[in-house]
Amino acid sequence: MSNYNVAVLGPIPRDHITTHHGEVIEKYGCATHTAIGLSRLLEDKGMVHLVSHVRKRDEGPIKELLSDYKNINTEHITSELDQGDVIQLKFVDQNNRLEKQTGFMNPILPEDVKDLLHCDVFVCVPITDFEVPLETLKYIKANSKGTIIFDAHGPTNTLTILGDRKIRFWIDRDMWLPYIDVLKMNLEESNCCWFEKEYNLEHLTNFNGEDKKHLPELGKHVLEKGVKSLIVTLDSSGGVVYYKENDQIREEMVKSVKVEHVVDTTGCGDSFAGGLGFGLLEDGTNYIRAAKYANALGAQRTQGRTFEVFKSKQETDSILIQNYGSI
């Protein structure tokens, strides 16, 4: 693996977390998981460029935290407008949580990435619908050959004026798809991406986001709109990967990396996205291999509350061989 450059675009929220065990954790989240997971895998073979907007009071502590990772460039973490995400998470069980957002990052715009167009991969991990706008994806697509990975968590989540984070339908989805190479989402988000033209009130009242029968149709639609791969995570089951091979749509399940004890699931999706980014560096079309690295980073994230959970490439490769029989 030669020297690679990966851009990570997303918020670095100040998270106040109450776990389902009742423990309270305060830490910086989201894009830090993506960047540090990538940093550990890249080692001396590449550079991670983290692009984010933060509050002035957070810029120093965030950059100090990231200073332990010599291959993370923090020059693009800025605080001119003194805006950054602040989020309160209260887990009601291992996977479900109540969320409040009281601080809001100003969006990442084309001018924020104009010096990073040489990057091989752009990993976009928005958590709310305003953070990485379509304008920025269009700019990257028009001016860079890098692979664009996009997490649907952003456009399927919005805010009320009371700070409540709510899921929403991604109604303008088809405007975005031509500018995304790899689209990543969980099952609930996939239900926000596949909608009827009109619903009855009973359906909307009973919506729970657990339905899977739409996934083949969603996969076909997304690939026809220009996305090269759709990856839907299914919690402990792993993930389903859609891609084209010889003009035929393939659907493959990639089982999860099993863990004995889950400590904290915060940031698993962000870590998963980082694994995708790393897995596509050497072979930009090996989506199954990328999903394996993604599963490994997601599993590592559950194993503790600090960033020490992330392993080196050698250790992660050993996990993949043990779990899948190959890399």
Side-chain angles (χ1 to χ4, degrees):
M1 182 177 279
S2 60
N3 283 326
Y4 289 107
N5 287 278
V6 182
V8 174
L9 283 62
I12 304 175
R14 181 67 181 178
D15 287 340
H16 180 94
I17 304 159
T18 304
T19 72
H20 65 293
H21 298 301
E23 300 161 293
V24 176
I25 305 166
E26 286 202 353
K27 64 180 180 181
Y28 294 109
C30 192
T32 53
H33 303 291
T34 316
I36 293 172
L38 271 162
S39 165
R40 293 284 283 136
L41 290 176
L42 278 169
E43 297 169 335
D44 61 350
K45 303 296 193 299
M47 184 68 68
V48 181
H49 307 270
L50 183 44
V51 185
S52 190
H53 299 144
V54 299
R55 300 182 300 174
K56 290 186 183 298
R57 76 188 78 169
D58 292 324
E59 183 176 0
I62 287 170
K63 290 185 174 180
E64 183 178 353
L65 167 71
L66 295 172
S67 66
D68 289 337
Y69 306 92
K70 303 306 179 188
N71 59 350
I72 296 182
N73 172 18
T74 62
E75 292 177 8
H76 302 279
I77 300 172
T78 59
S79 62
E80 278 88 353
L81 297 186
D82 196 18
Q83 287 179 235
D85 284 4
V86 181
I87 296 180
Q88 307 241 356
L89 306 172
K90 184 174 183 179
F91 280 84
V92 293
D93 58 40
Q94 181 174 301
N95 294 310
N96 296 294
R97 64 202 187 193
L98 303 173
E99 303 186 21
K100 283 270 192 183
Q101 185 163 344
T102 58
F104 323 110
M105 179 190 87
N106 48 305
I108 295 173
L109 300 177
E111 63 193 56
D112 295 309
V113 295
K114 68 181 187 302
D115 296 327
L116 295 174
L117 297 173
H118 64 289
C119 285
D120 303 285
V121 174
F122 295 83
V123 185
C124 304
V125 285
I127 59 172
T128 321
D129 51 14
F130 58 84
E131 292 157 343
V132 182
L134 177 57
E135 176 187 1
T136 301
L137 296 191
K138 286 182 175 181
Y139 176 78
I140 295 170
K141 179 65 80 171
N143 294 284
S144 174
K145 296 179 180 178
T147 298
I148 299 173
I149 299 170
F150 189 79
D151 193 334
H153 190 60
T156 58
N157 282 265
T158 194
L159 285 172
T160 71
I161 60 172
L162 299 178
D164 293 316
R165 292 175 53 78
K166 301 289 188 180
I167 60 170
R168 72 176 185 100
F169 281 128
W170 190 5
I171 300 296
D172 60 346
R173 171 202 64 205
D174 289 357
M175 294 173 62
W176 293 68
L177 296 181
Y179 306 99
I180 297 169
D181 295 310
V182 178
L183 180 60
K184 172 256 175 196
M185 62 184 68
N186 63 28
L187 183 59
E188 181 182 59
E189 291 155 3
S190 76
N191 275 282
C192 296
C193 296
W194 194 244
F195 40 82
E196 304 293 338
K197 293 178 182 177
E198 189 172 345
Y199 289 99
N200 59 47
L201 188 58
E202 181 182 355
H203 172 90
L204 294 179
T205 303
N206 296 323
F207 176 83
N208 64 9
E210 296 300 315
D211 188 15
K212 297 180 185 177
K213 66 178 182 292
H214 64 290
L215 289 180
E217 286 182 286
L218 175 61
K220 180 175 184 291
H221 178 85
V222 164
L223 296 182
E224 287 177 346
K225 293 295 182 180
V227 175
K228 297 183 176 65
S229 179
L230 169 68
I231 300 172
V232 182
T233 59
L234 303 172
D235 290 330
S236 59
S237 300
V240 59
V241 181
Y242 294 92
Y243 62 100
K244 282 188 178 180
E245 190 174 71
N246 299 322
D247 289 328
Q248 298 296 312
I249 294 175
R250 297 287 302 272
E251 176 190 88
E252 290 194 40
M253 274 294 301
V254 181
K255 68 177 183 177
S256 64
V257 171
K258 298 299 181 185
V259 295
E260 292 296 322
H261 176 63
V262 173
V263 177
D264 180 14
T265 59
T266 312
C268 285
D270 306 311
S271 305
F272 186 98
L276 286 179
F278 179 81
L280 291 173
L281 282 172
E282 279 193 320
D283 182 349
T285 61
N286 194 337
Y287 306 108
I288 302 304
R289 179 176 182 268
K292 291 177 181 179
Y293 274 109
N295 280 340
L297 259 64
Q300 288 172 19
R301 177 61 269 166
T302 70
Q303 295 303 285
R305 299 183 182 89
T306 71
F307 296 111
E308 293 176 6
V309 295
F310 292 116
K311 309 294 185 186
S312 67
K313 182 178 185 298
Q314 183 178 1
E315 291 170 301
T316 302
D317 285 350
S318 296
I319 291 171
L320 296 188
I321 291 169
Q322 182 178 1
N323 198 72
Y324 299 109
S326 64
I327 299 173

